[in-house]
Amino acid sequence: MPNQALDNAVSALMRETAEQCLLTHYRQLTADEIISKAADDVVTVADLESEARLAEGLARILPEAAIVGEEGCHADPSLMDRLADRLCWIIDPLDGTNNFAVGKPPFGILLALADRGEILSGWIYDPLQQRLCTAHRGGGAFVNGERIGARSTGQEPPVAAISVIFADAARRAALMAHIAPHYALVDIPRCAAEQYPRLALGVNDVSVFERTLAWDHAAGVLFLNEAGGRAARPDGSEYRVDRHLEPGLIGAASPALWDDLAARMQAI
């Protein structure tokens, strides 16, 4: 399917799903509609409804592609094996669930299409701002249909959002001791659907991620790289969705900012 036709179909599905499955529940959740999945990690009825609708719609758009959704993998981890398939849809039906559950932004939907572990296309939708970020490998990055180029904040020191939620105590201490002093730290949004646009749109300069699950990062990595920034493993290798359980990922608004941070990371 041509990229424009694919964009039209996917964006319509994302907007419809956000309207009917997310915004209808936003700030309306009852206690029994919020379920703990793990420590500091919840799922809501909105996540489940959104994933079901997205999976059904994506199966119509590209029936030959496998479907790997965050909540589906939580129920059946063997589904993650499909990330290496010839074609695979990757779904985060509600990124930023912890924010959504307490009635605050940011939150969004993340979708990606991969081929044998390589990311082909990505979509990031923020329902409150109605901001749709799209990217196709080799085709550039777009926000609401307008091509964009990644830009830094221009601040000195650069602005960094460093996620230590999933880092162990030693790793957290090393990041704070050896990386943090070189940057102006800001809070992480706990939402990749917000963090990657911040890196491309001049809000943040760099980010460090410890956990790199495909549904959280596939769309954002492609979007940032296609915008002219850089997202890659700390050793410089490409992020692949079929290796998403490996830790460590750096995102930056420019290759130069990425290089500076990666060099510092190698020392810890």
Side-chain angles (χ1 to χ4, degrees):
M1 181 182 292
N3 287 344
Q4 189 57 59
L6 189 63
D7 279 343
N8 291 343
V10 171
S11 62
L13 175 63
M14 294 177 86
R15 294 178 193 279
E16 174 190 277
T17 300
E19 188 69 32
Q20 298 184 15
C21 300
L22 300 187
L23 297 182
T24 54
H25 291 293
Y26 186 48
R27 296 178 174 168
Q28 303 294 324
L29 292 170
T30 59
D32 63 329
E33 292 175 329
I34 305 171
I35 304 161
S36 178
K37 289 201 296 187
D40 200 30
D41 193 12
V42 299
V43 64
T44 73
V45 64
D47 297 72
L48 300 174
E49 289 180 6
S50 177
E51 185 160 316
R53 183 179 289 268
L54 290 167
E56 180 183 1
L58 294 172
R60 290 195 302 267
I61 293 169
L62 206 62
E64 62 269 35
I67 293 178
V68 177
E70 178 180 6
E71 304 313 327
C73 288
H74 179 71
D76 179 6
S78 70
L79 285 175
M80 288 188 281
D81 294 341
R82 304 301 302 274
L83 290 167
D85 276 16
R86 173 66 180 81
L87 284 174
C88 175
W89 288 113
I90 303 165
I91 304 172
D92 190 335
L94 173 51
D95 186 56
T97 299
N98 285 58
N99 299 333
F100 185 90
V102 296
K104 68 176 186 180
F107 58 89
I109 297 173
L110 294 163
L111 296 178
L113 181 65
D115 177 6
R116 290 167 289 199
E118 182 180 86
I119 311 159
L120 298 181
S121 302
W123 298 265
I124 307 171
Y125 184 55
D126 180 327
L128 296 181
Q129 298 188 67
Q130 296 187 340
R131 181 186 64 201
L132 178 65
C133 303
T134 62
H136 301 282
R137 182 170 287 264
F142 298 80
V143 176
N144 291 342
E146 297 293 326
R147 187 164 188 154
I148 63 105
R151 61 183 186 272
S152 70
T153 66
Q155 296 185 38
E156 191 58 44
V159 177
I162 300 177
S163 177
V164 296
I165 297 171
F166 301 104
D168 60 30
R171 178 71 168 172
R172 189 178 301 118
L175 287 167
M176 290 300 102
H178 300 290
I179 303 300
H182 300 283
Y183 296 93
L185 295 189
V186 293
D187 289 340
I188 62 168
R190 297 207 65 177
C191 176
E194 174 64 18
Q195 187 59 66
Y196 281 102
R198 287 184 183 184
L199 288 168
L201 299 176
V203 179
N204 291 170
D205 291 304
V206 295
S207 282
V208 176
F209 305 96
E210 188 71 10
R211 192 172 74 169
T212 68
L213 298 172
W215 39 85
D216 289 327
H217 293 280
V221 164
L222 183 66
F223 174 72
L224 183 57
N225 283 329
E226 287 295 326
R230 189 175 186 199
R233 297 294 190 182
D235 65 0
S237 61
E238 178 185 12
Y239 174 82
R240 294 179 55 85
V241 300
D242 54 353
R243 297 173 61 183
H244 75 140
L245 296 180
E246 297 175 7
L249 183 63
I250 297 173
S254 72
L257 285 164
W258 192 97
D259 289 343
D260 288 345
L261 178 52
R264 292 190 170 98
M265 294 281 288
Q266 290 173 5
I268 64 174

